[in-house]
DNA sequence: CGGTATCCTCTACGATACTG
DNA sequence: CAGTATCGTAGAGGATACCG
């Protein structure tokens, strides 16, 4: 699964319409694949979320607690982003009160190597 | 080389002084090492910079061109951050006009595994 | 060439309160 | 419980101009 299959070009276009200057510079269309990868995983809580889901589904509030410091709003936003990308899945459990669990997809699992390396690196260097 | 050797605690402290509410929440003091690692490497251009320096010193303007879309200001900021952390080194070449080259340190090289994994992942999944 | 300085916009993110 | 709504601020980051 992928988002697009070709290396996208740098897209820096400047158009003038009357006095209005509009610059189109899509931050995801980067020439360097590392940069593009970082745009997906490098967000503020994304790596951690993925990591905390690796051992099984986790419920929303539990997740926010695990992240220690992230507001519900932020976690919600990141989860939605990651759901549309296909990194995580959302499951509604029919209970009262309602419960929602998030799980990692196969695509999400494909990032765990990278994250593990990052974790190892961080720990080895006392980050 | 490391920044600190122990896992820092969550530091979320709320203090009231009169009417003023001040919340201390240092973004670098995260319980999850992945999150902390991301704070170092996950910044907007840091991974790419490191990657482009891996084959030898690169001059400032060349670097900005390689990054394709980053302003001089941004590159400058990132480089300074990364210099103080010890990821890169700055060398002034005595020429006219002046030339400055940046190189990767040993500590910087220690990140290349992670970045390589990220690159591979991104390319395999068409990111 | 390798930056600084200035200005300005936009959005990331936190706090807080509310809802089905 | 799992969000949504609203508001507010700090800072990220771009444009532009200037300098030794």
């Amino acid at each position: 699964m992928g988002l697009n299959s070709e290396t996208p070009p740098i897209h820096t276009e400047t158009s003038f319409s009357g006095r209005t200057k509009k610059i189109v510079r899509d931050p995801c269309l980067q020439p360097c694949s590392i940069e593009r990868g970082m745009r997906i995983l490098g967000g503020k809580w994304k790596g951690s979320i993925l990591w905390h889901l690796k051992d099984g589904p986790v419920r929303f509030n539990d997740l926010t607690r695990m992240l220690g410091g992230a507001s519900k709003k932020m976690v919600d936003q990141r989860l939605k982003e990651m759901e549309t990308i296909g990194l995580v899945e959302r499951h509604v459990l029919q209970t009262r009160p309602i419960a929602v669990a998030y799980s990692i997809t196969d695509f999400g699992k494909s990032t765990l190597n990278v994250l593990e390396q990052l974790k190892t690196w961080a720990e080895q260097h006392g980050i």
Side-chain angles (χ1 to χ4, degrees), chain A:
Chain A
M1 184 199 305
L3 300 175
N4 55 14
S5 45
E6 283 187 84
T7 302
I10 310 175
H11 182 27
T12 310
E13 174 188 307
T14 314
S15 59
F16 294 83
S17 41
R19 305 193 97 95
T20 324
K21 187 170 60 173
K22 186 85 184 173
I23 293 169
V24 182
R25 189 190 290 245
D26 189 327
C28 284
L29 297 176
Q30 287 297 324
C32 176
S33 52
I34 288 192
E35 202 54 41
R36 293 197 304 280
M38 279 297 188
R39 298 293 204 276
I40 308 290
L41 299 183
K44 196 166 185 184
W45 300 104
K46 298 192 202 167
S48 311
I49 289 176
L50 247 18
W51 188 254
H52 286 298
L53 293 183
K54 81 178 168 54
D55 298 319
V58 180
R59 294 186 38 189
F60 182 80
N61 277 344
D62 292 340
L63 204 47
T64 66
R65 268 172 239 120
M66 285 164 148
L67 296 175
S71 64
K72 290 198 290 183
K73 182 178 150 191
M74 278 304 99
V75 179
D76 186 53
Q77 277 184 14
R78 293 297 146 265
L79 282 171
K80 274 186 182 149
E81 275 182 49
M82 295 167 71
E83 198 192 351
T84 68
I85 297 178
L87 288 167
V88 302
E89 258 170 5
R90 181 174 181 274
H91 311 273
V92 181
L93 289 66
Q94 283 311 338
T95 56
R96 287 287 317 193
I98 207 168
V100 176
Y102 289 86
S103 65
I104 191 169
T105 64
D106 285 345
F107 182 40
K109 283 177 189 160
S110 74
T111 69
L112 291 178
N113 286 333
V114 185
L115 296 178
E116 177 122 40
Q117 281 261 339
L118 177 63
K119 183 171 146 68
T120 307
W121 174 82
E123 284 167 359
Q124 278 175 355
H125 295 86
I127 308 288

